[in-house]
Amino acid sequence: MKHIFIINPTAGKTDSRQKIYDMAESLRQKHGLDVQCILTKKQGHATELAKKLCETGEALRFYACGGDGTVNEVANGINGYDNASMTVIPVGTGNDFLKNFGPEDMEKFRDAENLWDAPQFPIDAIDVNGRIALTIACSGIDARVAKDVHNFSESPILDGKSSYIVSLMVNFLFKSIGSHWTVELDGEAVEDDYALVAVCNGRYYGGGFMPVAEARMDDGVLNTLVVREVNRRTFLKFVGPYSRGEYAKFPEYAHCSCPKVVHIHSEKPDIVTCLDGESVVNSDVTIKLHDKKLNFFGPEG
């Protein structure tokens, strides 16, 4: 079996390359593993690298070394290949994916010594127009915020959540909260103005926001939160509870359900959808469950 470390050299606020190289070399020397380190050179490169390696048919374990974007790219690269599995070494800014495992387990992912022989298990993913996301696929003002958050994340004084909040305020003050869409849940369509649609496989995004506290990555369910457009004053009251999974306090405009298929349509290509921090723009978005088809390995327990 080969152990492939795919490293995003621009992830995080410090250069973590040497740290990853040392981890990989330690695995080679202590356990005699076949180890390779590869640096990504552009957006989407991790997907290209992982897919090309998977096509060899060899048994592979991938270590996504970066933030949530790197995790998403590696997941898309190994998707559909039974000979490959992945884990994460967090060196990014937000690392929202690993927050689903809890703070104590998250720390274990920082050392490859805890991972190389860790058990493998399948997890769910979200299929968005043929591309997968692991945690949350969001469309609306939160996706526009996530798209713009990169403008602020390079600041030395802002962490992941602070960058998200700054981007949120910019979008809140200078852009429209709602978008006119037709949202269809399992065939039932409603045309209206929507603030956001968040399809949740996991619990965290945006540097720690938790829209649906009950979402789990291994339960075969996508928790979908639909929020209609509200005025700015109401939106300000909503953001705090929304970030803590308290959407039920606002039943008049926030509704959560578990549809099998979500479809969003706009008359123009203005639907920004954020997949684990990576943004795409379309006029039609179809979202469905990718049930336990992604192989993941992590610390036992």
Side-chain angles (χ1 to χ4, degrees):
M1 176 180 290
K2 286 188 175 180
H3 296 256
I4 312 295
F5 290 75
I6 295 185
I7 307 165
N8 180 354
T10 64
K13 297 184 181 300
T14 59
D15 190 339
S16 300
R17 282 177 289 183
Q18 191 58 52
K19 176 183 176 181
I20 303 301
Y21 294 155
D22 292 343
M23 278 190 205
E25 183 60 27
S26 177
L27 294 187
R28 190 197 317 273
Q29 292 184 7
K30 287 184 178 180
H31 308 290
L33 302 184
D34 185 350
V35 178
Q36 183 178 4
C37 294
I38 309 175
L39 297 177
T40 60
K41 298 179 180 179
K42 59 182 180 179
Q43 186 174 1
H45 194 203
T47 298
E48 296 173 15
L49 290 168
K51 185 174 182 179
K52 186 175 181 179
L53 287 163
C54 287
E55 289 172 348
T56 65
E58 294 184 83
L60 303 169
R61 282 200 155 189
F62 287 94
Y63 303 72
C65 307
D68 292 310
T70 306
V71 175
N72 177 271
E73 288 190 12
V74 173
N76 275 275
I78 74 168
N79 181 37
Y81 291 94
D82 292 335
N83 58 309
S85 61
M86 69 174 289
T87 193
V88 179
I89 296 180
V91 293
T93 304
N95 301 312
D96 287 313
F97 171 75
L98 286 186
K99 289 184 176 74
N100 288 280
F101 293 84
E104 292 184 4
D105 284 335
M106 183 174 174
E107 286 304 309
K108 296 177 183 177
F109 282 94
R110 298 188 187 278
D111 188 350
E113 187 64 38
N114 300 323
L115 303 172
W116 69 273
D117 61 347
Q120 175 180 308
F121 49 92
I123 61 173
D124 300 330
I126 311 169
D127 183 306
V128 185
N129 288 359
R131 180 175 173 179
I132 66 169
L134 295 182
T135 50
I136 294 176
C138 58
S139 303
I141 185 171
D142 53 345
R144 300 200 308 266
V145 168
K147 185 173 181 289
D148 293 344
V149 78
H150 298 291
N151 298 331
F152 309 103
S153 60
E154 295 180 0
S155 168
I157 62 173
L158 297 177
D159 59 16
K161 190 166 185 177
S162 298
S163 298
Y164 185 88
I165 292 172
V166 171
S167 181
L168 174 64
M169 296 309 299
V170 169
N171 277 270
F172 171 78
L173 292 172
F174 303 109
K175 300 180 182 180
S176 172
I177 290 176
S179 301
H180 192 78
W181 297 334
T182 297
V183 175
E184 183 179 315
L185 306 178
D186 284 343
E188 184 175 341
V190 177
E191 182 177 352
D192 206 338
D193 294 326
Y194 295 92
L196 62 90
V197 177
V199 180
C200 305
N201 181 46
R203 297 190 295 283
Y204 299 99
Y205 77 147
F209 278 59
M210 182 180 64
V212 181
E214 58 267 32
R216 295 293 184 274
M217 293 186 293
D218 61 354
D219 61 359
V221 172
L222 294 181
N223 302 84
T224 300
L225 183 62
V226 177
V227 181
R228 298 180 186 272
E229 182 178 24
V230 294
N231 60 42
R232 284 179 168 77
R233 178 177 294 180
T234 302
F235 188 77
L236 280 176
K237 295 178 182 178
F238 176 69
V239 170
Y242 170 78
S243 72
R244 299 187 294 271
E246 299 172 356
Y247 63 84
K249 292 182 176 180
F250 304 88
E252 63 272 27
Y253 52 83
H255 175 68
C256 190
S257 60
C258 301
K260 298 294 184 182
V261 179
V262 178
H263 182 74
I264 308 171
H265 171 74
S266 175
E267 292 300 321
K268 50 187 177 180
D270 63 348
I271 306 173
V272 180
T273 303
C274 184
L275 318 175
D276 301 335
E278 300 300 310
S279 300
V280 294
V281 182
N282 298 281
S283 58
D284 280 281
V285 179
T286 299
I287 305 171
K288 54 188 177 181
L289 177 67
H290 194 65
D291 188 15
K292 292 183 176 60
K293 294 182 179 178
L294 189 82
N295 296 322
F296 189 83
F297 62 98
E300 190 167 3

